[in-house]
Amino acid sequence: MVAGPLPVPSGPGKDRLRLWIRLLRASRTIEAELRERLKKEFDTTLPRFDVMAALYRVPEGMLMSDLSRFLLVSNGNVTGIVDRLVSEGLVARARRNGDRRTSMVRLTDEGTKSFAIIAAAHEGWIGELLGKVSEEDARRLTGMLTSFRSNWEGRE
Amino acid sequence: MVAGPLPVPSGPGKDRLRLWIRLLRASRTIEAELRERLKKEFDTTLPRFDVMAALYRVPEGMLMSDLSRFLLVSNGNVTGIVDRLVSEGLVARARRNGDRRTSMVRLTDEGTKSFAIIAAAHEGWIGELLGKVSEEDARRLTGMLTSFRSNWEGRE
DNA sequence: GCATAAAACTTTAAGCTTGAAATATTTTAT
DNA sequence: ATAAAATATTTCAAGCTTAAAGTTTTATGC
């Protein structure tokens, strides 16, 4: 997918391909840097961070299936990550009365405290890593990506 | 990392965080779609496609370490993917005379033929998935991402 | 009520991913 | 010439990831 520094040949349809390649390389570059820092500074991983970030927004918790949909990963995947977070005491599962198939997943107090610290560092890193992107470009880019998302969500 | 549809609180430094979240969600969304289609239509995977795309550009082949650097993944990772491609007859390793630590990796004829077909479909998919992005936005976005890359490569 | 479908979640197998340790080879410094 | 450092790659253990199959519970149709 990462088709690299070499230019994509020109022609019809090549503009969007070039955009996709750039987009993917940018996100992989930043992702790799974040992964490394999360490991070094906090001995954690990107997937764990993702799950905790999702739960942090919702103190009452989320269903596994909501978590999976929200994070754009498979449900089996979430099971494993949550298992590990539970065993580390950062996340708790609560069986519900209403529907015994589901369980509410939420951050523990320890998880909440722990995430707040990591999230602050994370925000700083992003500011640093994207520091060279001007405020105006950042807003413009965000706008374009937002409209991409709207279009995506509204497709057949 | 994917911090989701909910708005990031405003404040200093939040603009870039919001940009990062949008960027990551966009690329994960497209990546998931491509992965699914590669699997369904060609019974292959994104990492395999990435490796073959890298090699397709360079008929004489690449060193493992170049491949790893180019694809932004670890060298141990590339070993496994190339192993599988070799066992499928799509890729070949050639020990070199000059330096016996290294080996040149290249597409076989079968690999080249196979990749050309998949790449054509891939380009069509991207055109479809990014179809709602206007030509002008695509060029503008690409420009911003290109300048991001230049800045990144030239940092400290 | 009862069979059947649907939903929520877990398990499994195969493959991807990383960082660290191990191996083999070449280069550099003494 | 030899020891030490550097380079290229592989191996390994742990964790991430997916699709598919399995389990349990709830909803639906008759």
Side-chain angles (χ1 to χ4, degrees):
Chain A
M1 239 62 220
V2 169
L6 293 194
V8 175
S10 61
K14 299 290 182 182
D15 275 357
R16 294 198 176 85
L17 184 54
R18 184 180 291 105
L19 167 57
W20 166 236
I21 290 165
R22 292 278 192 288
L23 193 67
L24 187 54
R25 285 191 80 85
S27 68
R28 286 197 180 171
T29 301
I30 297 170
E31 229 179 323
E33 184 72 27
L34 292 177
R35 204 188 334 268
E36 198 180 320
R37 294 187 184 197
L38 283 173
K39 172 80 176 180
K40 274 218 174 72
E41 312 272 332
F42 298 106
D43 191 33
T44 190
T45 67
L46 211 44
R48 279 172 168 88
F49 181 91
D50 284 349
V51 166
M52 293 180 79
L55 295 178
Y56 190 73
R57 305 164 313 129
V58 193
E60 69 274 20
M62 292 175 83
L63 299 182
M64 292 295 281
S65 45
D66 292 337
L67 211 37
S68 153
R69 230 187 323 278
F70 182 70
L71 296 173
L72 308 174
V73 299
S74 68
N75 42 6
N77 186 358
V78 176
T79 297
I81 299 169
V82 167
D83 282 352
R84 271 165 235 120
L85 288 172
V86 167
S87 78
E88 291 169 23
L90 300 170
V91 159
R93 268 186 241 250
R95 215 105 206 140
R96 292 199 308 168
N97 293 357
D99 187 336
R100 281 182 307 183
R101 291 170 302 181
T102 68
S103 61
M104 222 41 173
V105 180
R106 57 172 182 73
L107 290 183
T108 61
D109 288 350
E110 189 193 339
T112 304
K113 262 183 255 175
S114 168
F115 178 77
I117 295 169
I118 303 178
H122 173 261
E123 186 179 325
W125 296 339
I126 295 300
E128 173 198 341
L129 298 175
L130 297 184
K132 287 283 181 54
V133 178
S134 74
E135 290 285 335
E136 194 195 329
D137 277 7
R139 268 190 299 275
R140 209 198 292 273
L141 256 167
T142 302
M144 291 183 201
L145 292 170
T146 302
S147 91
F148 165 77
R149 198 183 67 199
S150 314
N151 284 326
W152 186 274
E153 283 167 356
R155 78 210 174 101
E156 56 258 62
Chain B
M1 241 62 222
V2 167
L6 293 196
V8 174
S10 62
K14 300 289 184 183
D15 274 358
R16 294 200 176 82
L17 184 54
R18 184 179 291 107
L19 167 57
W20 166 237
I21 290 165
R22 292 277 193 290
L23 193 67
L24 187 55
R25 284 191 80 86
S27 68
R28 286 197 181 172
T29 301
I30 297 169
E31 228 178 322
E33 185 70 29
L34 291 177
R35 203 189 333 269
E36 197 180 322
R37 293 187 185 197
L38 282 173
K39 172 79 176 181
K40 274 220 174 73
E41 311 274 331
F42 298 106
D43 191 31
T44 189
T45 67
L46 210 44
R48 278 174 167 88
F49 181 91
D50 285 349
V51 166
M52 294 180 78
L55 296 177
Y56 189 75
R57 304 163 314 129
V58 193
E60 70 273 21
M62 293 175 85
L63 299 182
M64 290 295 283
S65 44
D66 293 336
L67 210 38
S68 152
R69 230 186 324 278
F70 181 72
L71 295 175
L72 308 175
V73 299
S74 68
N75 41 8
N77 186 357
V78 177
T79 297
I81 299 168
V82 167
D83 282 352
R84 271 167 235 121
L85 288 171
V86 167
S87 79
E88 292 170 21
L90 301 170
V91 159
R93 274 183 171 101
R95 214 101 204 144
R96 292 199 306 168
N97 293 358
D99 186 337
R100 281 182 306 180
R101 292 169 301 183
T102 67
S103 63
M104 218 50 171
V105 180
R106 58 172 181 72
L107 288 183
T108 61
D109 289 349
E110 189 193 340
T112 304
K113 259 180 257 174
S114 168
F115 178 77
I117 295 169
I118 302 178
H122 173 261
E123 187 179 326
W125 297 339
I126 296 298
E128 173 197 342
L129 298 176
L130 297 184
K132 287 283 180 57
V133 179
S134 72
E135 289 286 335
E136 194 196 331
D137 277 7
R139 267 190 299 276
R140 209 198 291 272
L141 256 167
T142 301
M144 293 183 201
L145 293 170
T146 301
S147 91
F148 165 77
R149 198 182 66 199
S150 316
N151 284 327
W152 185 273
E153 282 166 357
R155 78 209 175 104
E156 72 252 59

